[in-house]
């Protein structure tokens, strides 16, 4: 393995963009953006150049897996926090879809719409972290889950966070006010620092929740695996991307493994939520489980008596004899 080529600049994306080609790199640093040292090779498809083809495949897989997780969450009709957590998965799916369109060049960097779609992507990404953070407090029942207060507080605050970060992004790309492609500090804090802080708070809050409220400690493994996958993905993207690219002959880079690790992180978050929530079978839609519950409530004596009464043949009826008609005297 060659020397690790990694550059980090505080309060700007110049170092990150020299390592990996994230969606905002063509719009910052200098007038025509920053190009990474090494990136995944492109392919031609129907006359169109597709960048990051391996990442494109993994983005499609991530979207499909997220749809499956959303389906299973929505099928748990009475699980705690079902409506709150499903918003996070919807936002993650939309973020992945936009990232796929931007990174792969389906929306070309030369298009006038590219900065706007990139700002929307950054706003969705940051608001997804915010939504996950608020879901971390649902289990503490500060507001009863499923109520308008719980749902709309997450929706409205996530939308506000989306607007704020999206405005910072487009302002940085277009040079609005003090913002500009050479002044990236505000966007860097929101997109890098605050996202990491929100994810860290979510992990810590769930560890506290499991330790203080649950007898089962197995969910700790799920949430710790989520944290581990997330950390590995960030390191592979922002530190080892050039090394991966050189050693794989430009077939993949750190972004490919970053998408995989992010998907594994989201899957472990789903596994964690599924393990700490149990559906109330009394109010579930299915009826087969209710039948088994009724059988468990019957005692052994009642079951044996009902079985004996079922097996015992009915007693034969008494024969009816024909009696002739007696004529009455006149």
């Amino acid at each position: 393995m060659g020397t690790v080529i990694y550059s980090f600049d505080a309060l700007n994306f110049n170092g990150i963009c020299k390592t990996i080609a994230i969606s905002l790199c063509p719009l910052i640093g200098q007038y025509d953006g920053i190009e990474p040292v090494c990136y995944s090779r492109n392919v031609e498809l129907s006359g169109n150049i597709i960048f990051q083809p391996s990442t494109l495949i993994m983005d499609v897989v991530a979207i499909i897996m997220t749809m499956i997780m959303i389906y299973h969450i929505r099928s748990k009709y009475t699980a705690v926090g079902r409506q709150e957590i499903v918003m996070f998965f919807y936002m993650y799916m939309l973020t992945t879809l936009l990232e796929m369109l931007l990174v792969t060049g389906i929306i070309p960097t030369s298009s006038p719409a590219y900065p706007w779609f990139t700002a929307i992507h950054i706003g969705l990404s940051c608001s997804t972290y915010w939504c996950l953070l608020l879901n971390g407090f649902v289990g503490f029942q500060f507001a009863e889950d499923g109520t308008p207060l719980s749902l709309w507080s997450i929706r409205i605050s996530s939308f506000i966070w989306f607007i704020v970060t999206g405005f910072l992004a487009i302002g940085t790309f277009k040079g609005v006010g003090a913002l500009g492609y050479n002044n990236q500090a505000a966007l860097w804090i929101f997109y890098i620092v605050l996202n990491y802080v929100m994810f860290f708070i979510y992990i810590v809050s769930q560890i506290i929740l499991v330790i203080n409220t649950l007898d089962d400690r197995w969910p700790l493994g799920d949430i710790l695996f989520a944290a581990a996958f997330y950390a590995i993905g960030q390191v592979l993207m922002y530190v080892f991307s050039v090394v991966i690219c050189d050693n794989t002959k430009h077939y993949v880079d750190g972004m490919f493994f970053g998408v995989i690790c992010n998907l594994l992180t989201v899957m472990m978050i789903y596994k964690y939520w599924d393990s700490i929530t149990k559906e109330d079978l009394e109010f579930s839609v299915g009826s087969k489980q209710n039948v088994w519950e009724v059988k468990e409530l019957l005692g052994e004596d009642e079951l044996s008596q009902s079985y004996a009464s079922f097996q015992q043949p009915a007693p034969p009826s008494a024969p009816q004899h024909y009696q002739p008609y007696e004529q009455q005297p006149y």
Side-chain angles (χ1 to χ4, degrees):
M1 182 176 291
T3 305
V4 177
I5 301 176
Y6 167 64
S7 177
F8 175 80
D9 297 327
L11 301 180
N12 66 70
F13 294 91
N14 296 344
I16 291 176
C17 289
K18 292 177 183 177
T19 306
I20 187 169
I22 58 179
S23 61
L24 56 78
C25 289
L27 303 169
I28 59 171
Q30 51 191 15
Y31 180 75
D32 56 349
I34 300 176
E35 187 174 299
V37 175
C38 181
Y39 52 88
S40 175
R41 64 180 67 189
N42 51 47
V43 296
E44 185 176 355
L45 183 64
S46 300
N48 299 316
I49 302 298
I50 302 298
F51 299 93
Q52 299 280 350
S54 56
T55 304
L56 171 64
I57 295 173
M58 284 311 306
D59 282 331
V60 173
V61 172
I63 292 172
I64 295 173
M65 292 302 299
T66 307
M67 293 174 64
I68 294 173
M69 288 185 282
I70 290 173
Y71 171 77
H72 285 289
I73 292 172
R74 291 175 62 88
S75 65
K76 296 185 69 173
Y77 296 96
T78 58
V80 175
R82 176 181 68 93
Q83 294 176 288
E84 287 82 359
I85 196 66
V86 79
M87 288 189 282
F88 163 74
F89 286 93
Y90 277 125
M91 296 174 71
Y92 167 75
M93 184 173 64
L94 291 175
T95 303
T96 304
L97 176 62
L98 263 181
E99 182 181 38
M100 178 185 70
L101 298 177
L102 293 168
V103 171
T104 59
I106 297 176
I107 300 176
T109 57
S110 59
S111 171
Y114 186 87
W116 295 95
F117 278 104
T118 304
I120 294 173
H121 169 251
I122 292 174
L124 273 175
S125 177
C126 294
S127 57
T128 301
Y129 280 92
W130 176 262
C131 183
L132 179 66
L133 172 66
L134 296 185
N135 269 277
F137 297 104
V138 171
F140 294 95
Q141 294 293 305
F142 293 114
E144 187 176 355
D145 63 284
T147 59
L149 175 62
S150 176
L151 295 174
W152 283 102
S153 61
I154 295 177
R155 291 168 182 168
I156 294 175
S157 61
S158 297
F159 179 73
I160 293 173
W161 200 256
F162 165 77
I163 294 297
V164 170
T165 52
F167 174 79
L168 283 176
I170 196 64
T172 302
F173 303 151
K174 297 293 186 178
V176 177
L179 302 174
Y181 58 82
N182 285 322
N183 185 10
Q184 315 155 23
L187 182 60
W188 190 86
I189 291 173
F190 274 80
Y191 190 64
I192 300 295
V193 177
L194 292 184
N195 285 352
Y196 286 164
V197 170
M198 286 187 284
F199 184 80
F200 177 77
I201 293 175
Y202 171 78
I203 295 296
V204 172
S205 66
Q206 299 315 289
I207 293 175
I208 295 173
L209 178 67
V210 172
I211 293 176
N212 291 341
T213 62
L214 299 180
D215 295 329
D216 188 8
R217 294 293 183 261
W218 284 107
L220 284 176
D222 299 329
I223 200 65
L224 291 177
F225 268 114
F229 282 131
Y230 181 80
I232 293 171
Q234 298 303 298
V235 172
L236 291 177
M237 284 181 60
Y238 298 130
V239 179
F240 292 100
S241 180
V242 176
V243 176
I244 295 171
C245 181
D246 287 335
N247 285 272
T248 59
K249 308 301 180 184
H250 294 246
Y251 281 102
V252 296
D253 57 11
M255 184 169 292
F256 172 75
F257 293 100
V259 172
I260 293 176
C261 290
N262 286 341
L263 173 60
L264 293 174
T265 301
V266 173
M267 292 175 67
M268 293 312 300
I269 290 175
Y270 162 76
K271 180 67 171 62
Y272 163 76
W273 176 84
D274 186 64
S275 64
I276 65 172
T277 57
K278 294 183 179 179
E279 190 174 12
D280 189 353
L281 297 178
E282 182 181 357
F283 300 100
S284 62
V285 174
S287 59
K288 292 183 178 180
Q289 293 173 338
N290 293 338
V291 175
W292 287 104
E293 289 179 357
V294 172
K295 288 186 177 181
E296 292 176 358
L297 294 175
L298 294 175
E300 295 182 359
D301 295 337
E302 296 178 4
L303 288 174
S304 60
Q305 290 176 4
S306 60
Y307 180 77
S309 62
F310 177 77
Q311 295 292 334
Q312 183 178 359
S317 59
Q320 295 181 355
H321 300 282
Y322 175 75
Q323 294 183 0
Y325 176 73
E326 296 181 359
Q327 292 184 352
Q328 298 293 333
Y330 293 100

